[in-house]
Amino acid sequence: MNQNEDNPTSFLGVQPRDILCADKLVELEKVDKSCNQESWCIAWAPDCSYVAWSQGGGIVYLLPWAPDEGQLLKKPTRDQSCENLNDIEEQPFFDNLPRLSQPDGVDEIEGDFEWNQSPGPSNNRQVEAQRFRIDCMDYVWSMTFGSGISRSKNNVTKRRRFSFNSDLILVTGLQGGKIKVWNVYTGNLIMELLDHKKNVHGLSVMCDGTLKLASCSADCTIKCWDLNNDGNMYKTLRFKENVMVFDCKWSPNCKQLAAVGMNKCAYVWNTSNLSQPRKLSGHLHNVVHCDFSPDGALLATASFDTRVILWDPYTGDQIKTLGHMFPSPRPIYAGGANEHYARCVSFSKHGYRIATVADDGFLRVWSLEDSEENPLSIAEIQKPLCCCYSSNGHVISTGNRAGKIEIFRPQPCGVAKLQHLCRMSVRQKIQEPKLVDSLQYPFRLKEYLKYKHL
């Protein structure tokens, strides 16, 4: 860890050895050297079987991941920019990705890998994991995976052009406003959604299998789509100030939709009616990214004011602030700390760790329960733009302005406390704080359930 004593950092009064450094597992350089575009987004499949890497210039690589081994699988790459995949030989081809660095003590995987997909009792087939090189024909600003396993009994007999019952999909948001939906197992384009007029900055798919998609754009709108209904766009939302929107997220319980943008605020809608959003005020600059905790009880927002704020999305109360610059800039200077902009935030699987990246060149891993103002683990990254915890919470992927992807494993910092896991179980069933207050529990326990002790 390097610290410049002349510049303020988020490591308050610590020595370089006081904070653990994350281990780098994989580093992939951009394949197309002539492309000078940034890697604005990285996405993990819900089952952690794939990681999608946008290397810039409209090129996305779908890379199989072995969760147990914690490494990428070496497979030949199929180029979806070719018109006919049948003309391509089965021998390794288009495999111009650099050699992957393996973690110490882990041998390379030999032979073919088969991923056992079992979305339902009637589907026991095996799908071979395969790399795909996808040319989206436009710059990619956002990506997300979606599960095609429909849990809605009302749609079982409904006649549709597209069937997602056994497929994993990748959704890409493009600079021109198009949204393209791809089949992960074949690399084929399924559908295009056309309604946004400018860059699609954020995408989010409901995790309940209904395949409701939310997208936000530089055209100042948030749009809701039903992919199970031929991609029908059924709702358009706007900030009251009518400003550019940078990110949007469905909550894990699918009861809320959050969005952030240029007006220093975050908005939270109730998905039952998608009207009269709750406004979360507290940032001093543009809010560029957001993420819900796995139990849906917390909303984290990252801002150019160098801070990440944890909110109660049901009440709008600020729970905790993670500073990326000490001392924190005064309000009048918060827009001028260019080297410390907080770019992205991501919760781990159990909601006990939070990963952030900032323009000062650090990936930080924070503990939700730690009362200290310093992160638990860090890694140095040149010009980072995005970070994302894997679906199983074991590793963190990052992208930077050079179009490079790096995957880190944070140093072990202890396991989540049993009381925290119990709290998550309770809050997954009882979402609203007013329902927590109605429980016949001691006051301090109810405050703990509402994260008010942080």
Side-chain angles (χ1 to χ4, degrees):
M1 181 182 73
N2 297 327
Q3 294 191 63
N4 186 344
E5 295 181 356
D6 297 330
N7 292 326
T9 71
S10 69
F11 313 118
L12 181 62
V14 298
Q15 298 300 319
R17 295 183 180 180
D18 291 343
I19 299 179
L20 299 174
C21 291
D23 294 329
K24 184 184 296 185
L25 298 181
V26 176
E27 180 177 347
L28 291 178
E29 296 285 352
K30 183 169 53 181
V31 177
D32 186 356
K33 299 298 182 180
S34 64
C35 175
N36 296 319
Q37 299 300 320
E38 301 92 346
S39 180
W40 283 99
C41 51
I42 298 172
W44 289 87
D47 57 2
C48 212
S49 60
Y50 276 91
V51 56
W53 165 34
S54 170
Q55 68 152 6
I59 303 301
V60 173
Y61 276 89
L62 272 172
L63 305 175
W65 180 264
D68 295 335
E69 290 80 8
Q71 63 181 3
L72 293 172
L73 295 174
K74 291 189 174 183
K75 302 293 293 183
T77 303
R78 294 187 183 274
D79 192 336
Q80 290 307 93
S81 61
C82 298
E83 294 183 359
N84 190 356
L85 288 177
N86 295 327
D87 296 336
I88 302 177
E89 298 179 358
E90 290 297 326
Q91 300 298 323
F93 56 90
F94 287 116
D95 198 16
N96 52 359
L97 287 175
R99 181 174 293 277
L100 308 181
S101 59
Q102 303 292 337
D104 296 337
V106 178
D107 297 330
E108 295 183 4
I109 299 177
E110 297 181 357
D112 293 335
F113 170 79
E114 290 187 334
W115 179 71
N116 187 8
Q117 183 202 20
S118 55
S122 61
N123 190 347
N124 295 320
R125 66 187 180 93
Q126 289 184 329
V127 178
E128 183 182 6
Q130 179 70 55
R131 280 183 183 169
F132 288 100
R133 177 188 182 274
I134 297 175
D135 188 353
C136 295
M137 308 301 292
D138 200 355
Y139 298 132
V140 179
W141 283 85
S142 56
M143 294 188 301
T144 188
F145 281 90
S147 172
I149 307 168
S150 179
R151 300 179 185 177
S152 176
K153 297 181 180 180
N154 297 329
N155 291 332
V156 172
T157 60
K158 187 175 180 179
R159 190 175 183 85
R160 305 190 293 269
R161 285 189 300 163
F162 306 102
S163 175
F164 300 102
N165 289 335
S166 60
D167 293 329
L168 186 66
I169 61 172
L170 175 70
V171 187
T172 55
L174 308 181
Q175 178 168 290
K178 288 184 179 180
I179 298 173
K180 293 187 177 182
V181 183
W182 308 84
N183 187 316
V184 172
Y185 303 131
T186 65
N188 294 331
L189 178 65
I190 300 175
M191 68 170 71
E192 291 187 5
L193 308 178
L194 308 174
D195 207 73
H196 285 298
K197 307 302 180 185
K198 296 182 180 179
N199 307 1
V200 181
H201 284 302
L203 294 166
S204 181
V205 177
M206 276 191 180
C207 59
D208 62 353
T210 59
L211 284 179
K212 297 293 180 62
L213 170 70
S215 63
C216 61
S217 168
D219 63 10
C220 307
T221 64
I222 305 110
K223 295 183 181 294
C224 300
W225 316 77
D226 188 351
L227 299 184
N228 263 328
N229 187 19
D230 293 346
N232 176 52
M233 195 271 291
Y234 63 91
K235 188 71 173 181
T236 297
L237 305 171
R238 293 178 183 269
F239 286 179
K240 292 182 178 179
E241 290 80 1
N242 198 27
V243 297
M244 189 182 301
V245 190
F246 288 129
D247 194 25
C248 60
K249 287 288 190 305
W250 296 110
S251 64
N253 54 33
C254 304
K255 297 293 183 63
Q256 294 181 315
L257 173 64
V260 297
M262 289 186 64
N263 60 343
K264 307 178 185 179
C265 296
Y267 285 90
V268 179
W269 285 266
N270 189 325
T271 55
S272 62
N273 50 27
L274 291 175
S275 63
Q276 297 299 324
R278 175 176 288 105
K279 184 177 180 180
L280 310 182
S281 302
H283 281 294
L284 306 173
H285 205 302
N286 297 342
V287 190
V288 293
H289 199 261
C290 64
D291 193 26
F292 278 97
S293 62
D295 59 3
L298 294 176
L299 173 68
T301 56
S303 170
F304 285 172
D305 66 5
T306 76
R307 299 180 300 163
V308 169
I309 297 180
L310 304 183
W311 310 81
D312 184 330
Y314 293 94
T315 64
D317 296 336
Q318 292 188 29
I319 303 297
K320 190 174 184 177
T321 299
L322 306 177
H324 292 67
M325 182 177 178
F326 284 114
S328 296
R330 293 161 56 190
I332 193 173
Y333 298 116
N338 299 332
E339 296 180 355
H340 291 79
Y341 285 172
R343 291 281 177 179
C344 192
V345 59
S346 178
F347 274 95
S348 65
K349 176 183 178 181
H350 296 297
Y352 202 61
R353 301 284 184 260
I354 302 171
T356 64
V357 291
D359 283 353
D360 60 358
F362 284 103
L363 163 71
R364 295 171 172 83
V365 180
W366 311 78
S367 172
L368 189 65
E369 298 285 347
D370 196 348
S371 60
E372 298 293 331
E373 297 182 81
N374 296 312
L376 292 175
S377 182
I378 64 167
E380 291 190 68
I381 307 172
Q382 288 190 341
K383 300 180 179 179
L385 287 175
C386 61
C387 67
C388 185
Y389 255 107
S390 62
S391 307
N392 58 12
H394 293 170
V395 297
I396 305 169
S397 57
T398 64
N400 67 6
R401 290 189 180 277
K404 182 169 66 174
I405 181 177
E406 296 175 281
I407 299 178
F408 296 89
R409 176 184 289 128
Q411 292 289 345
C413 301
V415 297
K417 295 180 180 179
L418 179 59
Q419 60 187 17
H420 169 72
L421 299 178
C422 294
R423 170 173 56 189
M424 283 193 57
S425 298
V426 173
R427 290 307 301 270
Q428 286 173 350
K429 300 294 183 181
I430 306 175
Q431 288 91 23
E432 297 188 28
K434 63 180 181 181
L435 298 179
V436 175
D437 290 332
S438 64
L439 297 175
Q440 299 300 316
Y441 289 167
F443 175 78
R444 291 185 61 183
L445 180 55
K446 289 190 286 188
E447 291 295 287
Y448 181 82
L449 290 175
K450 295 187 294 182
Y451 292 89
K452 290 297 183 66
H453 69 294
L454 298 182

